[in-house]
Amino acid sequence: MLQGVESWLRAAATRVHEAAPSLTALDQAIGDGDHGINLDRGFGAIVAMLDERPSPEDGTRDAAATADLLRQAGKTLISKVGGASGPLYGTAFLRGAGAVAGDHPSAAAAFVAALEAATGGIAALGKSAEGEKTMLDALFPAARAARASLDGGGDLAAVTGAARDAAGAGAEATIPMLATKGRASYLGERSIGHQDPGATSAALLLAVVAEVAGAAAADASGATA
Amino acid sequence: MLQGVESWLRAAATRVHEAAPSLTALDQAIGDGDHGINLDRGFGAIVAMLDERPSPEDGTRDAAATADLLRQAGKTLISKVGGASGPLYGTAFLRGAGAVAGDHPSAAAAFVAALEAATGGIAALGKSAEGEKTMLDALFPAARAARASLDGGGDLAAVTGAARDAAGAGAEATIPMLATKGRASYLGERSIGHQDPGATSAALLLAVVAEVAGAAAADASGATA
Amino acid sequence: MAANAPSHSMKKLINNVDDLVPESLAGLQAAHPDLVRIDAANNVVIRKDAPRQGKVGLISGGGSGHEPMHGGYVGLGMLDAACAGNVFTSPVPDQMEAATRAVDGGKGVLHIVKNYTGDVLNFEMAAELVAGEIEVKSVVTNDDVAVQDSLYTAGRRGVGVTVLLEKIVGARAEAGASLDEVAATAEKVNGQGRSMGLALTSCIVPAAGTPTFQIGDDEVEVGIGIHGEPGRRREKLRPVDEMAEWLVTPIVQDLGLKAGDSVLAFVNGMGGTPLIELYTAFNSVNKILGGQGIKIGRSLVGNYITSLEMAGFSVTLLRLDDELTKLWDAPVHTPALRWGV
Amino acid sequence: MAANAPSHSMKKLINNVDDLVPESLAGLQAAHPDLVRIDAANNVVIRKDAPRQGKVGLISGGGSGHEPMHGGYVGLGMLDAACAGNVFTSPVPDQMEAATRAVDGGKGVLHIVKNYTGDVLNFEMAAELVAGEIEVKSVVTNDDVAVQDSLYTAGRRGVGVTVLLEKIVGARAEAGASLDEVAATAEKVNGQGRSMGLALTSCIVPAAGTPTFQIGDDEVEVGIGIHGEPGRRREKLRPVDEMAEWLVTPIVQDLGLKAGDSVLAFVNGMGGTPLIELYTAFNSVNKILGGQGIKIGRSLVGNYITSLEMAGFSVTLLRLDDELTKLWDAPVHTPALRWGV
Ligand SMILES: Nc1ncnc2c1ncn2[C@@H]1O[C@H](COP(=O)(O)OP(=O)(O)O)[C@@H](O)[C@H]1O
Ligand SMILES: Nc1ncnc2c1ncn2[C@@H]1O[C@H](COP(=O)(O)OP(=O)(O)O)[C@@H](O)[C@H]1O
Ligand SMILES: [Mg+2]
Ligand SMILES: [Mg+2]
Ligand SMILES: [Mg+2]
Ligand SMILES: [Mg+2]
């Protein structure tokens, strides 16, 4: 898994950088215009961390190494991002790290466990739930869809694909919502009609997971073909 | 003369009010954007003064009454206008008052004497001369032209008409000048290419003199016709 | 584009966008070497003589762009340290941890936090980082009456009262009060103060490079916070007497002020509004309060908690009693507020 | 018009344009009843306890729109009265006459005049109105190095040094010096200080209703005064380090400052520039002076002499010696500057 997670983080950094202006524009509409800037700074710092980080010691279990990487990424986000999204995404990564450290029958199962833990961690820290027009409106549906796909026998590509689709739909579904958490809540009725920036970035991160998992699957099938 | 001067002041107030935006616009280009506002405030105050002022006592000499009116107008300008133009125009009126108080063979002669005194008063107070891109570039040529017209036998209409024409030309001639006095001097070379607001207002005031004098002449000729 | 439409792209006195916060802090230190020092690794402004043994430490912090808040309030009788985040972005826990450690004089540290999700979460994490080592209490300001208070939402924003609280609580700490006492005064000030603001223009977050919102020539945003965001509603520009009513009335109602009550009246500029207008707005506020028999016991007029170069103003009223008046009058010596010394 | 171009028409916190100055003064009085009173008939701000017997009276004045100058500098250790003209229009002689009479404590009155034709003429006329009754001396500040000094022109403008002069000379008068001594210190300050400024935007004179000049998104006006006017030349917007060089270098040259000299460095905002940028600009100035071995002995950073809501800044350097440093440090208590009391 370690390789996959590292690929994901690097790819996510690139995609966050590209999407930063549009994320910031969403935040200008109902927040304070820094969400893209914040995440770009955070993922940039993750890449720097990856570049400097020594490879895990020989013999480290993959799950432990993966958890360690996610934990470092979470700490990096907490130290570099600030704002609401820094602690929230940072905590999500820390919780995800805790989840992947355990025993899982497959990478797909580990992914679902991590996504669920991450989502729950955000909700707990943010004292927030689905339907409040936050990143949780992408993450909760994604976690449910991923679990359903896994339960139906889906492999990593299928499970991450399900998460991606549900997160994308969830992010779009924030448009008509009235915000009750985060800065958008200050706007009252005027928050309606805009897509939540955090839900959008969450959907983006999950799209990159699916992309990386899909590419890995293609590689693997290419290799066995 | 009293009647003529009062008519002039009232007509000037109307015309200054109409021209205030364009005078201010000229001052925005090379000054601080208040010349029209300043003069409008001053002439508005003159009209208020005229409305409240008791008529001169019976038997007052016309020249004395006219001088008194001009003196009050000058004081009003000094008390209400501020800026550079307040003391300068105010002093001009005070000097004009002094000049008309004396004995003059005709209204035309009194006008020329007043214009010369006013112009000299501004130059003395402002420590300025012709060619520095100020109101003096309208007033000195006007005073010379008026004197020439009077020497050539011109009546009040002719004399004031000559002053008006020369002042208008003088104001236009400020466009290519480099300012060395007033705020425009701070712009250095950049003052070139703009018409001086004070020269423009001076030309306007003289245009109104000519208008009022011309109308009076027409009335008079109508009456004798 | 109208002939004389001014620029809408970014025009600021900066070098690189990324260097703005550290360079501005360096300037603060260069201008006030007698008052503050900078922890440049953490973008923390620290009182020159911190930590002061036997004195409760006071720290605050938040996104940058609100200057002089908070760095301008570090000094005698006010804050011991201020953490500067990126523009409009709460600082990170490491910064608050560094600040807390730098100012602890053995009597504990009060965290003064404005009620925004990011600020609250980052300060909470910082408190956890020093838990067991330094006693930390927090007060969360939430004085913005434009937002309805509710347990089920993010709640009200912390705005103008934060400045008054830092001054008043700073005096209490300077006088040697315990952490509990200092925290109690902080809660009292937060409970007795309310604010509301409006914007005439938006502002440009440097890293974004464009105005946060668009607004017509004759429009104002009413019920704004301090992050350049649009407000609760948009109105047509009106005479300041009327606009001041929009802000004062909800505050007076929320505080339940009555004839005979005395308040500290604080008219604050959002950064781009000059003093000639702020004093005119103060005149409006004075007329409104006077008409209701509410006495202005103390006042503050100026740009004290800002949103970059935004034009607009906010009104904060703090119900005064003898204790708060005395603490307000106590000596303060910081880059932005100074008296009695 | 670009989608998010902000307004270019007038958006201000005012009621009627004609009431702006008196209402703003009324607000100043309402906010600082302990410091000042207003002669509303003359738009003069007067020190609460004026006239002070045995103290030289200090008055200044000028057009409005430069707040806090001059009304914000009335109080202990600074001005005894300030005359407020209409926006950017010198006050009239009647105002200065009223102010002179209100503050005369038997020791004479110093008129502090900025070198603009209108200001000089109106103050001169006022002095004539009290001639024989009250001894009046004048100092005319002319510190703007953007303009070349010459006997044959209007000369240099009085800008930032005026603020420093009012503070320093105020301390001298407060200490009981004679009119001649006070005037001599005023001349000394004017002789040892120089300024230069630049604008990022224009401003709107309320009665005019439109910006005084038009300027591109990437342009600045260099060598401006304080009346919203364009400067000596137009340049492209550059990093603040470089723009600060444009201002500091001519001042250093004009004053002949050398390594080892000590100055008061004053970075002033034009009204619409927030403190985060002004401290960044101060950082630039500090680096430039430090590079030349010139020491910043004292500093002042903020919006102290402004052009309405114009964005931009000016730099003033005043060569310090022990006398001026002591007078600068002496107590002052006015709405805008306060220390030592
Ligand atoms: N209480 C919360 N629970 C979950 N997500 C939240 C909460 N508050 C804010 N968010 C998310 O954070 C996003 C904003 O992040 P960002 O702009 O980086 O921080 P800030 O609001 O501090 O500027 C919002 O779009 C929203 O999705
Ligand atoms: N020294 C001077 N001598 C003669 N006229 C002057 C002088 N200085 C300024 N002026 C005139 O005054 C005009 C400006 O008047 P105004 O805008 O009302 O005053 P201010 O310059 O104080 O704003 C200039 O256009 C110029 O014609
Ligand atoms: Mg944000
Ligand atoms: Mg003018
Ligand atoms: Mg933010
Ligand atoms: Mg003027």
Side-chain angles (χ1 to χ4, degrees), chain D residues 179-224:
Chain D
L179 181 57
D180 281 345
E181 289 167 335
V182 168
T185 301
E187 293 297 347
K188 174 175 167 179
V189 172
N190 185 53
Q192 296 191 183
R194 296 288 186 280
S195 305
M196 189 161 158
L198 65 79
L200 304 183
T201 66
S202 183
C203 61
I204 298 181
V205 174
T210 56
T212 300
F213 61 84
Q214 293 138 38
I215 186 162
D217 279 5
D218 60 344
E219 293 176 326
V220 298
E221 281 285 342
V222 184
I224 55 160

Side-chain angles (χ1 to χ4, degrees), chain C residues 1 6-8 11 13-15 24 31-32 200 214 216-217 219 240-241 276-277 279 299 338-341, chain D residues 1 4 6-8 11 13-15 24 31-32 200 214 216-217 219 240-241 276-277 279 299 338-341:
Chain C
M1 183 143 105
S7 71
H8 64 279
K11 244 180 164 177
L13 303 176
I14 58 177
N15 292 305
S24 186
H32 305 284
L200 305 183
Q214 292 137 40
D217 278 5
E219 293 176 327
V240 63
D241 278 351
I276 188 171
E277 295 179 44
Y279 275 112
S299 64
R338 180 170 179 185
W339 56 75
V341 58
Chain D
M1 185 142 102
N4 48 9
S7 72
H8 64 279
K11 245 180 163 177
L13 303 176
I14 59 175
N15 293 305
S24 186
H32 304 284
L200 304 183
Q214 293 138 38
D217 279 5
E219 293 176 326
V240 63
D241 277 351
I276 189 172
E277 295 178 45
Y279 276 112
S299 64
R338 180 171 179 186
W339 56 75
V341 58

